[in-house]
Amino acid sequence: MTSELGWRLGCFVGVLALMLLWEYWQPKRSATLPARKRWPANLGIVVINTLALRLLIPAGAIGAAVWSQESSFGLLQQTSLPLWLITVIGFLILDCAIYWQHRLFHRIPLLWRVHRMHHADTDFDTTTGLRFHPVEILLSMLIKIGVVVTFGIAPMTVLIFEIILNATSLFNHGNVALPRRLERPVRALIVTQEMHRIHHSQIPRETDSNFSFNLSIWDRLFGTYNALPTKGSDGIEIGLKEYPAGQDSTKLSYLLAIPFRQPKPRGDAASDSQDNNASKQ
């Protein structure tokens, strides 16, 4: 565990570089705004989030897991199951928790105000997978800590989960597409770009579907799976209509202020905004 930061950073940089190269050589869609305008703010959020976590919750979920293990606290700490099985169970518990967390962030109005910064991105690429408000990142860590302590999930399991979750978030937000012969089999196990792109649609019923981040089973299991977008994969309109692309939408200060300012719905966005808000009451 002493090399935790090295593992995290190495995997993050490696996956990010691979995804950016893939997007460069085989982009799925043309961008609404050029990368040079969107990326500084999206990547700037990563720096702020990292600092916020290190300053406010320095031990993080792994620290909670170490305490749980040393104190023999939590449900899994009371079992005598094989190590590999405890690891698998712990991983599945964390992944299911993230699914429900994501779903609640869509359902509860106050949480949606924070999460909508992620959905306000007018394009869908790997950097979108990093674009989460600091308040959401802190709340997510507190939820994760609660799950880790309750179930007594081991530190190594938490580290593996967090590395994989980060990698899959970069992967499934990529502006790319798997070959058709691979997309369906891969989607049966993990969330693909084609599956998660539907979740970033401007159509509310599509936005409120496909909540899984890593394993795709949870959407099928809990009835939120959406296999095909209304307008087809190439016709999905990305983002939120009340947050159109523009000069302000590329500023870091604008992104950070999204939870604290209600947008003025424009034109046909008004009815969609009302439908979205109604579904979150």
Side-chain angles (χ1 to χ4, degrees):
M1 303 309 294
T2 56
S3 58
E4 171 207 346
L5 183 59
W7 277 104
R8 287 175 182 273
L9 186 60
C11 291
F12 170 77
V13 172
V15 175
L16 178 62
L18 287 173
M19 289 305 303
L20 293 179
L21 285 172
W22 189 0
E23 289 182 333
Y24 177 77
W25 289 110
Q26 292 182 312
K28 165 71 174 177
R29 297 158 57 100
S30 298
T32 303
L33 293 173
R36 68 177 183 276
K37 290 188 176 181
R38 290 177 52 252
W39 286 8
N42 285 3
L43 296 175
I45 289 289
V46 179
V47 177
I48 293 173
N49 289 343
T50 302
L51 291 174
L53 284 173
R54 290 291 172 179
L55 290 173
L56 299 176
I57 316 178
I62 290 184
V66 171
W67 175 86
S68 177
Q69 190 173 67
E70 291 177 348
S71 305
S72 296
F73 189 92
L75 297 177
L76 292 177
Q77 295 294 328
Q78 314 309 315
T79 69
S80 56
L81 297 172
L83 178 61
W84 70 268
L85 184 56
I86 290 178
T87 301
V88 170
I89 293 173
F91 186 95
L92 292 174
I93 289 172
L94 284 168
D95 204 49
C96 185
I98 292 298
Y99 164 86
W100 279 105
Q101 173 194 304
H102 190 187
R103 192 166 172 178
L104 288 174
F105 267 77
H106 276 251
R107 185 67 178 172
I108 299 173
L110 187 60
L111 296 179
W112 169 247
R113 289 175 70 105
V114 177
H115 184 60
R116 69 187 176 193
M117 190 198 82
H118 177 66
H119 281 269
D121 201 346
T122 54
D123 284 295
F124 181 91
D125 66 15
T126 296
T127 68
T128 307
L130 302 170
R131 175 181 157 137
F132 295 94
H133 199 277
V135 174
E136 179 171 0
I137 290 296
L138 292 170
L139 288 174
S140 178
M141 180 57 71
L142 292 175
I143 292 170
K144 201 182 302 177
I145 288 172
V147 173
V148 167
V149 171
T150 299
F151 290 95
I153 300 173
M156 186 57 69
T157 304
V158 176
L159 178 60
I160 292 170
F161 174 77
E162 291 195 332
I163 288 175
I164 291 177
L165 182 68
N166 186 265
T168 52
S169 183
L170 293 172
F171 171 77
N172 61 41
H173 284 90
N175 181 28
V176 295
L178 293 169
R180 288 188 178 182
R181 68 181 183 279
L182 294 179
E183 208 281 331
R184 290 292 178 181
V186 172
R187 187 193 292 202
L189 178 62
I190 64 173
V191 179
T192 62
Q193 298 84 14
E194 293 291 288
M195 177 179 169
H196 195 66
R197 193 177 291 112
I198 298 170
H199 180 71
H200 281 260
S201 165
Q202 292 184 6
I203 299 173
R205 66 178 177 275
E206 295 182 350
T207 308
D208 292 331
S209 70
N210 295 356
F211 294 106
S212 298
F213 258 93
N214 182 21
L215 300 177
S216 61
I217 187 176
W218 309 118
D219 283 297
R220 293 182 176 88
L221 187 61
F222 297 116
T224 53
Y225 178 62
N226 189 343
L228 297 171
T230 304
K231 298 183 180 180
S233 177
D234 294 332
I236 297 175
E237 296 177 82
I238 300 296
L240 299 172
K241 288 185 178 181
E242 56 268 39
Y243 291 97
Q247 189 63 35
D248 285 342
S249 68
T250 63
K251 296 178 180 177
L252 185 57
S253 58
Y254 175 87
L255 301 188
L256 293 172
I258 284 177
F260 312 107
R261 288 192 308 212
Q262 283 287 20
K264 294 181 180 179
R266 56 188 189 94
D268 57 351
S271 59
D272 285 349
S273 178
Q274 291 170 357
D275 290 343
N276 244 335
N277 289 335
S279 70
K280 296 171 174 60
Q281 296 303 319

